[in-house]
Short mmCIF file of all heavy atoms in Angstrom, two decimals:
data_model
loop_
_atom_site.label_atom_id
_atom_site.label_comp_id
_atom_site.label_asym_id
_atom_site.label_seq_id
_atom_site.Cartn_x
_atom_site.Cartn_y
_atom_site.Cartn_z
N GLY A 52 0.49 6.61 15.12
CA GLY A 52 0.64 6.95 16.53
C GLY A 52 0.98 5.72 17.34
O GLY A 52 0.80 4.58 16.89
N TRP A 53 1.49 5.96 18.53
CA TRP A 53 1.93 4.86 19.39
C TRP A 53 0.77 4.39 20.26
O TRP A 53 0.08 5.21 20.89
CB TRP A 53 3.09 5.31 20.27
CG TRP A 53 4.34 5.59 19.48
CD1 TRP A 53 4.76 6.80 18.99
CD2 TRP A 53 5.31 4.63 19.05
NE1 TRP A 53 5.93 6.65 18.29
CE2 TRP A 53 6.29 5.33 18.31
CE3 TRP A 53 5.45 3.25 19.22
CZ2 TRP A 53 7.40 4.69 17.74
CZ3 TRP A 53 6.55 2.61 18.65
CH2 TRP A 53 7.51 3.34 17.93
N VAL A 54 0.59 3.07 20.29
CA VAL A 54 -0.45 2.47 21.12
C VAL A 54 0.16 1.28 21.87
O VAL A 54 1.12 0.67 21.40
CB VAL A 54 -1.66 2.00 20.28
CG1 VAL A 54 -2.34 3.17 19.58
CG2 VAL A 54 -1.24 0.95 19.26
N PRO A 55 -0.37 0.95 23.04
CA PRO A 55 0.20 -0.15 23.81
C PRO A 55 -0.10 -1.52 23.19
O PRO A 55 -1.18 -1.73 22.65
CB PRO A 55 -0.46 0.01 25.18
CG PRO A 55 -1.70 0.78 24.94
CD PRO A 55 -1.45 1.64 23.74
N ALA A 56 0.87 -2.41 23.28
CA ALA A 56 0.68 -3.80 22.84
C ALA A 56 0.43 -4.66 24.07
O ALA A 56 1.03 -4.44 25.13
CB ALA A 56 1.91 -4.28 22.10
N PHE A 73 -3.08 -5.04 19.93
CA PHE A 73 -2.87 -3.64 20.30
C PHE A 73 -4.20 -2.91 20.26
O PHE A 73 -5.14 -3.33 19.55
CB PHE A 73 -1.83 -2.97 19.37
CG PHE A 73 -2.26 -2.88 17.93
CD1 PHE A 73 -3.13 -1.89 17.48
CD2 PHE A 73 -1.79 -3.80 17.00
CE1 PHE A 73 -3.52 -1.80 16.15
CE2 PHE A 73 -2.19 -3.72 15.67
CZ PHE A 73 -3.05 -2.73 15.24
N ALA A 74 -4.29 -1.84 21.00
CA ALA A 74 -5.50 -1.01 20.98
C ALA A 74 -5.14 0.36 21.52
O ALA A 74 -4.28 0.50 22.39
CB ALA A 74 -6.61 -1.64 21.82
N GLY A 75 -5.78 1.38 20.96
CA GLY A 75 -5.52 2.74 21.42
C GLY A 75 -6.20 3.73 20.51
O GLY A 75 -7.11 3.39 19.75
N THR A 76 -5.74 4.97 20.61
CA THR A 76 -6.31 6.05 19.79
C THR A 76 -5.19 6.72 19.02
O THR A 76 -4.15 7.06 19.58
CB THR A 76 -7.02 7.09 20.70
OG1 THR A 76 -8.01 6.42 21.47
CG2 THR A 76 -7.68 8.17 19.86
N VAL A 77 -5.42 6.88 17.70
CA VAL A 77 -4.44 7.56 16.84
C VAL A 77 -5.17 8.64 16.05
O VAL A 77 -6.12 8.34 15.32
CB VAL A 77 -3.76 6.57 15.87
CG1 VAL A 77 -2.80 7.31 14.95
CG2 VAL A 77 -3.03 5.48 16.64
N HIS A 80 -8.81 8.60 16.18
CA HIS A 80 -9.50 7.37 15.75
C HIS A 80 -9.12 6.23 16.68
O HIS A 80 -7.94 6.04 16.99
CB HIS A 80 -9.11 7.00 14.33
CG HIS A 80 -9.43 8.05 13.31
ND1 HIS A 80 -10.69 8.18 12.76
CD2 HIS A 80 -8.68 9.02 12.77
CE1 HIS A 80 -10.69 9.19 11.90
NE2 HIS A 80 -9.47 9.72 11.90
N VAL A 82 -8.16 2.61 17.24
CA VAL A 82 -7.57 1.55 16.42
C VAL A 82 -7.33 0.33 17.30
O VAL A 82 -6.98 0.45 18.47
CB VAL A 82 -6.23 1.98 15.76
CG1 VAL A 82 -6.45 3.01 14.69
CG2 VAL A 82 -5.24 2.45 16.79
N ARG A 147 8.66 -0.14 20.18
CA ARG A 147 9.58 0.35 21.21
C ARG A 147 9.19 -0.24 22.56
O ARG A 147 8.02 -0.57 22.81
CB ARG A 147 9.58 1.88 21.27
CG ARG A 147 8.29 2.50 21.75
CD ARG A 147 8.35 4.02 21.64
NE ARG A 147 7.10 4.64 22.13
CZ ARG A 147 6.80 5.93 21.95
NH1 ARG A 147 7.64 6.72 21.30
NH2 ARG A 147 5.67 6.42 22.42
N ILE A 153 5.50 -2.62 25.89
CA ILE A 153 5.84 -2.44 24.47
C ILE A 153 4.74 -1.62 23.81
O ILE A 153 3.55 -1.82 24.07
CB ILE A 153 5.99 -3.80 23.77
CG1 ILE A 153 7.27 -4.49 24.27
CG2 ILE A 153 6.03 -3.65 22.25
CD1 ILE A 153 7.48 -5.89 23.77
N GLU A 154 5.18 -0.68 22.97
CA GLU A 154 4.24 0.12 22.19
C GLU A 154 4.52 -0.08 20.71
O GLU A 154 5.67 -0.26 20.31
CB GLU A 154 4.37 1.60 22.54
CG GLU A 154 3.86 1.95 23.93
CD GLU A 154 3.92 3.45 24.19
OE1 GLU A 154 4.86 4.11 23.69
OE2 GLU A 154 3.03 3.95 24.88
N LEU A 155 3.46 -0.02 19.92
CA LEU A 155 3.58 -0.14 18.48
C LEU A 155 3.10 1.15 17.83
O LEU A 155 2.14 1.77 18.31
CB LEU A 155 2.72 -1.31 17.96
CG LEU A 155 3.00 -2.67 18.58
CD1 LEU A 155 2.07 -3.72 17.98
CD2 LEU A 155 4.45 -3.07 18.40
N GLU A 156 3.78 1.52 16.75
CA GLU A 156 3.37 2.72 16.00
C GLU A 156 2.52 2.26 14.82
O GLU A 156 3.04 1.69 13.85
CB GLU A 156 4.58 3.50 15.52
CG GLU A 156 4.21 4.83 14.91
CD GLU A 156 5.42 5.59 14.40
OE1 GLU A 156 6.37 4.93 13.96
OE2 GLU A 156 5.40 6.82 14.45
N VAL A 157 1.23 2.49 14.89
CA VAL A 157 0.30 1.95 13.89
C VAL A 157 -0.43 3.09 13.17
O VAL A 157 -0.56 4.20 13.70
CB VAL A 157 -0.72 1.00 14.55
CG1 VAL A 157 -0.01 -0.16 15.23
CG2 VAL A 157 -1.60 1.74 15.54
#
Side-chain angles (χ1 to χ4, degrees):
W53 293 95
V54 297
F73 64 80
T76 303
V77 177
H80 300 277
V82 291
R147 67 186 181 191
I153 289 174
E154 290 184 326
L155 304 180
E156 188 181 32
V157 301

